[in-house]
Amino acid sequence: MFTKVLVANRGEIAVRVIRACKELGITTVAVYSELDRNALHVRLADEAYALGGQTAAESYLNTEAILDAIERSGAEAVHPGYGFFSENADFARAITDRGVAFVGPPPEAIEVMGDKISARKAAEDVGVSGVPGTTEFVTDVSEILAFGESYGYPIAIKAAYGGGGRGMKVVASADEAASAMESAQREALAYFARDEIYMERYLTKPRHVEVQVIADQHGNCVYLGTRDCSAQRRHQKLVEEAPAADIDPAILAAMGEAGVTVAQGCGYTNAGTIEFLYEDGEFFYLEMNTRLQVEHPVTELVTGVDLVELQLRVASGEVLPFSQDDVEITGHAIEIRINAEDPAEGAFLPSPGPITKLRTPSGFGTRWDGGYEAGDEISQYYDNLVGKLVCWGSDRSRAIARTIRALEELEIEGVATTVPADLAILRHEDFAANAHSTKWVEEVLDLTGVAGATGAAPESDEPLMKREVDVEVNGKKFAVSMWVPEAAAVASGGAAKPRRSAGSTSGGAGAGNGKVAVPMQGTIVKVSVAVGDTVDAGDTLVVLEAMKMENNIAADIAGTVAEINVEEGASVGGGDVVVVITPAEA
Ligand code: MV4
């Protein structure tokens, strides 16, 4: 097993991976953008490296910066999470070329599954069929007309190098074929810079059912049941569940085996998902996602398997510790994605900002996978998933009831969230009856009047300033950069006040207020002053050990030590006031 793993991601999935690593005794390395300097994944990791930048492109998609962090940290493996570099074959190669393990499939498998035509061919080559259609590009409208003659209408025209449902056109009848083909090509070119298209029979009420697989590097591959992700809007999943309900177990088993066949056919290793469309007792291969998925926890709750642990084990060369016969599905699990989006009137408008309050649900069968705590900020630059609520029940109706109960316990203030829409789905009779399909949220669910309250108004940020401080660790000097409010940076010898502490701003420019707080979570290793001591601005008050370094926390004003709130060995959180100084001449 690896001893040190770098997590090339942020938010809840970085937290999820860090937690699994800790349980395995693996040292964790976080990377962070300028906006995530004090993010939850950074707070939880053993070490953290700055990538610089704010946007995803400048930070979590900056190959050079991530390779540099791998080099500096000495990590033996990189877990990419989902999104960002998780399905990027070039990144996987760049890692493995350096002798560092990529916790994911071989780059060749990522490439085969990367475009829809080659993915469809790869499945057909091993006898797993997609929706009846073409594996060659459609170049002339006569091909669509001939297909309509044989299979009937409607027909779906899809972008071969597209994704996420963009550029898909539905042809209802022969006289729409020419214009639909033209607009599909035009959209494909606009979105994906390539205009190749292909066609399939269009299923009008399919369910989205997917198969989770995990494969080791010794030829073993098993499926861990199915998930239903039909509750979506504009190809964003809102609610996912495991197993797919009300489908004949023999069909689910056939689907699982088809998933394994597709995975083995492309030389797959690690965790992957094979997507199918299911309609009227038939299933059709759609595509393969060559990464760990957002909704993986529902599979974990019904199988009892820790997928991230397994990913790390197989990536390090271990043999899968169980076989297909050992996999048992127990009960039912539901995942709710909680995004910072306002669902009012079905608009789902992004709602970034600071989370002023966050009270997460708990109780039997109730799991919270979050990327934030109260005081953290949802940035407009990244995915706005706040967290995922995942509930288990002994059957589907109990799982639904528990999920509703837990959602009612959840309190989030500062940002609007998708929770009201999630509740509307869970309470709907169509969802209870499993009568929904992939278009149900958009076409049937009524979100008029759904409120997207944001709670308390966001506070404004104090501007932060970079400050260089020298610290000594075991007799070795390190230059440390700190980002502190401007006033503190000017006045103090390194003490940083919290970003948003109540009443921390002082009146006069450059003056502190004597309430000295620690800038980050850590342990007080030394208290250098006593109550009654006189101190000058810049004198060390306490020494904070954080992120494996010692930081001198200094007086922000000259005066007398009035209060010491910590003793040696105390754990403190970012923003905690540790010492209070009464000003010298008040
Ligand atoms: C389809 C389809 C019906 N028939 N293909 C949309 C995203 C892309 N990955 C595949 N998609 C679909 N392909 C045929 N031949 C319906 C959809 C579809 C869909 C699929 C999965 C989950 C949600 C969806 C929502 C709308 C349409």
Side-chain angles (χ1 to χ4, degrees), residues 45-68:
D46 297 307
E47 293 174 23
Y49 292 83
L51 298 173
Q54 299 203 342
T55 63
E58 292 164 352
S59 54
Y60 301 99
L61 290 172
N62 180 341
T63 308
E64 283 313 308
I66 293 176
L67 291 176
D68 193 44

Side-chain angles (χ1 to χ4, degrees), residues 246 396-397 400 425-436:
D246 293 339
R396 188 170 187 267
S397 64
I400 292 173
I425 293 169
L426 291 172
R427 290 178 176 141
H428 202 288
E429 59 189 13
D430 288 355
F431 187 80
N434 219 36
H436 64 298

Side-chain angles (χ1 to χ4, degrees), residues 373-409:
E373 292 174 329
D376 293 337
E377 184 149 349
I378 308 289
S379 165
Q380 58 170 330
Y381 291 113
Y382 316 117
D383 185 291
N384 58 28
L385 184 67
V386 180
K388 307 179 307 201
L389 171 67
V390 201
C391 291
W392 179 90
S394 54
D395 60 25
R396 188 170 187 267
S397 64
R398 285 184 175 92
I400 292 173
R402 178 165 289 145
T403 310
I404 292 172
R405 183 275 298 165
L407 270 182
E408 287 170 343
E409 268 180 34

Side-chain angles (χ1 to χ4, degrees), residues 131 156 158 164-165 168 200-203 206 208 232 235 277 286-287 438-439:
V131 187
K158 298 183 173 185
M168 182 169 95
E200 289 173 352
R201 225 183 85 209
Y202 179 73
L203 309 179
H208 172 132
Q232 323 204 349
H235 309 291
L277 291 178
L286 203 53
E287 54 196 69
T438 50
K439 301 205 300 180

Side-chain angles (χ1 to χ4, degrees), residues 485-539:
E486 263 175 67
V490 173
S492 81
K497 280 177 289 180
R499 281 187 71 154
R500 263 190 300 280
S501 69
S504 69
T505 40
S506 56
N513 64 2
K515 286 184 183 149
V516 178
V518 295
M520 55 196 143
Q521 181 201 317
T523 305
I524 301 296
V525 291
K526 187 160 188 236
V527 178
S528 311
V529 292
V531 171
D533 285 1
T534 48
V535 291
D536 269 329
D539 285 357

Side-chain angles (χ1 to χ4, degrees), residues 139-150:
T139 54
D140 196 281
V141 70
S142 63
E143 298 164 51
I144 301 175
L145 297 172
F147 187 80
E149 285 294 314
S150 324

Side-chain angles (χ1 to χ4, degrees), residues 331-484:
H332 201 88
I334 293 180
E335 173 178 282
I336 303 298
R337 293 194 192 190
I338 292 145
N339 286 86
E341 287 171 18
D342 190 340
E345 311 306 318
F348 292 88
L349 295 176
S351 176
I355 300 171
T356 52
K357 179 173 183 183
L358 179 60
R359 180 169 164 264
T360 57
S362 48
F364 181 44
T366 307
R367 166 172 167 180
W368 175 261
D369 272 27
Y372 303 87
E373 292 174 329
D376 293 337
E377 184 149 349
I378 308 289
S379 165
Q380 58 170 330
Y381 291 113
Y382 316 117
D383 185 291
N384 58 28
L385 184 67
V386 180
K388 307 179 307 201
L389 171 67
V390 201
C391 291
W392 179 90
S394 54
D395 60 25
R396 188 170 187 267
S397 64
R398 285 184 175 92
I400 292 173
R402 178 165 289 145
T403 310
I404 292 172
R405 183 275 298 165
L407 270 182
E408 287 170 343
E409 268 180 34
L410 172 66
E411 286 181 61
I412 302 179
E413 286 177 10
V415 295
T417 72
T418 47
V419 168
D422 297 324
L423 279 169
I425 293 169
L426 291 172
R427 290 178 176 141
H428 202 288
E429 59 189 13
D430 288 355
F431 187 80
N434 219 36
H436 64 298
S437 67
T438 50
K439 301 205 300 180
W440 178 83
V441 170
E442 280 167 51
E443 292 181 357
V444 180
L445 187 68
D446 183 5
L447 292 173
T448 51
V450 161
T454 58
E459 297 168 55
S460 67
D461 266 353
E462 280 177 72
L464 294 183
M465 197 174 158
K466 185 174 176 180
R467 199 170 186 293
E468 312 284 351
V469 183
D470 286 342
V471 297
E472 231 177 57
V473 181
N474 295 333
K476 185 171 177 197
K477 199 165 138 195
F478 289 86
V480 176
S481 303
M482 292 170 89
W483 282 261
V484 296

